[in-house]
Amino acid sequence: MTSADAAGYAGQDGTAGYAGQNRTAGYAGQDGTAGAAAIAAGIDDMYEAFLAGDRPRFDGHLHPEVTTWETHLPGPLRTRSQLDSYRDQRDATGQRPRLAVLAARDKHIDVWGEFGVARYVLVAQAHAQGAPELTRVTDVLRRAGDRWLIVHHHAELLREPEPAP
């Protein structure tokens, strides 16, 4: 399960096992922790929106020209309209993922003025007691007023479990 699959999902809230595991040792930058904390909160809200089936709220975290490169997608999606096309086709065929857990952990976030980079592991589970699928994610964000929007999203499915930090 990846974030591109996330938009429009209707599932149960099963994130309690991961919600408190927000190890953010990498919060840094000239803007202090405020920008990094806002980025972390936005990422958490985006995946909570996925679990709630709230595509507009999920999409509210994406820049209109976001690029999306993920292991399982059909090539890089270079525009928001390509991402929307992919999701619309997937959803029309009944392939929209159903998850119990979708949460970012081990966040490392840096902020430089109007730009930020977030690196984290995305944990996805079809069932709360099921084996997790782990994806390494890097998001590049740009400040837009008082919000941070993802301008580039890169995700790679981890074939081997990552060692504990």
Side-chain angles (χ1 to χ4, degrees):
M1 159 48 51
T2 64
S3 58
D5 287 330
Y9 167 78
Q12 354 170 326
D13 182 5
T15 60
Y18 292 98
Q21 297 178 4
N22 185 21
R23 293 176 282 249
T24 54
Y27 279 10
Q30 69 184 30
D31 292 326
T33 59
I39 289 170
I43 289 167
D44 290 341
D45 184 67
M46 181 173 68
Y47 294 122
E48 289 168 11
F50 169 79
L51 291 173
D54 190 341
R55 185 170 171 172
R57 185 171 131 212
F58 182 95
D59 288 353
H61 294 282
L62 305 177
H63 188 276
E65 296 302 318
V66 65
T67 54
T68 306
W69 299 0
E70 295 193 5
T71 302
H72 78 287
L73 294 181
L77 301 175
R78 300 186 187 279
T79 66
R80 174 69 177 277
S81 63
Q82 288 177 345
L83 174 62
D84 288 343
S85 249
Y86 165 78
R87 295 185 301 185
D88 292 344
Q89 280 184 305
R90 177 208 60 205
D91 294 354
T93 62
Q95 298 297 313
R96 195 165 63 186
R98 306 245 180 250
L99 295 176
V101 174
L102 186 63
R105 73 171 197 208
D106 303 327
K107 294 185 194 101
H108 296 274
I109 298 170
D110 294 298
V111 173
W112 303 278
E114 300 299 308
F115 295 94
V117 175
R119 287 94 57 205
Y120 55 92
V121 174
L122 183 62
V123 178
Q125 287 178 259
H127 307 284
Q129 304 307 317
E133 179 179 276
L134 304 177
T135 302
R136 184 179 5 224
V137 177
T138 301
D139 288 330
V140 178
L141 300 97
R142 182 176 182 188
R143 191 186 331 250
D146 63 347
R147 302 178 58 222
W148 289 90
L149 299 178
I150 297 171
V151 296
H152 178 73
H153 172 81
H154 188 108
E156 176 185 6
L157 182 62
L158 295 175
R159 306 289 181 209
E160 299 292 326
E162 282 201 331

